[in-house]
Amino acid sequence: MSRIYGLMGAMDEEIELLLSAMTEASKTIKAGITYTTGIIHGKQVVVCKSGVGKVNAAVTTQILIDRFGVEQIIFTGVAGAVHPDLNIGDIVISSTCMQHDMDVRALGYARGVIPYQDTSEFAADPELVRLAEQACQSFDDRYIVGKVLSGDQFVASRELVTALHQEMGGACTEMEGAAVAQTAHMNAVPYIVLRSMSDKADGSAHVNYAEFTVEASHRSHRIVEYMLKHLG
């Protein structure tokens, strides 16, 4: 039996291109989330919109694994740049993911560390990272492989951006990736997060975000398509 891939986004703009490329589509609703199964570039896929935030993302990921038996997960969408070298339109390929709003510093833990757990930073699958890099290079996209930071807040503060980069080594910030990553890790399912920068997360976010979301989603989508074509 061929491998089943879970393709996730948080918003309509982030999955509509995938849905339009799908054949043999069939929909299932579970926990209020619509999961569309079908074929893209000869691969069996399940495409879904998680909704915004870490709880939505974690629940959606677990259902993908339990109900649909996905064996690899690709989460795609937009994010705010944290690394100073990133510009709008650039791509971040996750090396790892971590929660920036997991904050138990008052008890002596570093920012982002989940107490009583072996790891709080969840590594992306090396082969998926390699394929994503190959895709970016083929499209001549500017990209970096770096840490994706997630939190249940829309970051629009220069001070917080500086802290997330300097304290946690973050490349970008968004609201779902670390939840997908942790859930995938707990289930031993390979994952990757691909983010196209829609803003610089620095206070100008409200100006840039809507304008660049669609363009950024297109950049992420073509990388996912490339990966599907080249996945074993």
Side-chain angles (χ1 to χ4, degrees):
M1 181 178 291
S2 60
R3 182 171 288 170
I4 304 172
Y5 300 95
L7 309 179
M8 299 176 63
M11 301 184 299
D12 288 326
E13 295 91 339
E14 296 168 344
I15 66 164
E16 62 185 11
L17 293 171
L18 291 168
L19 293 174
S20 68
M22 183 184 291
T23 59
E24 303 177 29
S26 175
K27 293 183 179 181
T28 302
I29 297 176
K30 183 76 173 174
I33 304 295
T34 299
Y35 297 83
T36 306
T37 60
I39 307 295
I40 302 178
H41 297 302
K43 304 297 194 303
Q44 290 191 54
V45 299
V46 185
V47 176
C48 58
K49 179 182 74 171
S50 66
V52 174
K54 292 184 298 179
V55 172
N56 280 328
V59 169
T60 303
T61 304
Q62 192 64 56
I63 290 172
L64 276 174
I65 295 166
D66 288 345
R67 170 68 176 79
F68 296 96
V70 302
E71 296 159 85
Q72 293 190 352
I73 293 172
I74 301 173
F75 193 105
T76 179
V78 299
V82 169
H83 195 292
D85 292 343
L86 285 168
N87 293 305
I88 291 170
D90 291 351
I91 302 291
V92 172
I93 300 167
S94 63
S95 56
T96 62
C97 291
M98 197 171 188
Q99 299 177 60
H100 68 75
D101 62 349
M102 175 60 67
D103 191 347
V104 198
R105 286 177 290 181
L107 298 181
Y109 293 91
R111 186 177 197 153
V113 171
I114 305 169
Y116 319 120
Q117 209 167 272
D118 289 341
T119 184
S120 304
E121 187 171 347
F122 306 99
D125 180 69
E127 176 60 17
L128 292 176
V129 171
R130 185 193 68 78
L131 261 183
E133 284 197 85
Q134 191 174 298
C136 288
Q137 291 162 6
S138 73
F139 296 125
D140 201 28
D141 283 335
R142 280 174 47 90
Y143 76 93
I144 64 172
V145 178
K147 185 188 294 185
V148 173
L149 299 178
S150 307
D152 285 326
Q153 62 188 119
F154 190 92
V155 175
S157 155
R158 288 180 176 84
E159 292 75 21
L160 181 54
V161 165
T162 299
L164 294 181
H165 180 61
Q166 293 182 352
E167 292 178 29
M168 299 187 71
C172 67
T173 178
E174 36 87 295
M175 301 176 72
E176 297 84 26
V180 174
Q182 183 172 347
T183 307
H185 171 81
M186 292 169 72
N187 289 274
V189 172
Y191 89 93
I192 191 171
V193 173
L194 306 171
R195 292 291 192 177
S196 181
M197 301 303 100
S198 63
D199 62 81
K200 298 203 58 134
D202 61 359
S204 62
H206 64 286
V207 176
N208 296 331
Y209 187 76
E211 180 181 350
F212 286 97
T213 294
V214 173
E215 177 187 338
S217 296
H218 277 75
R219 290 176 184 268
S220 297
H221 170 74
R222 67 183 185 180
I223 295 170
V224 175
E225 278 205 313
Y226 180 101
M227 292 176 70
L228 285 174
K229 289 176 183 176
H230 292 84
L231 280 165

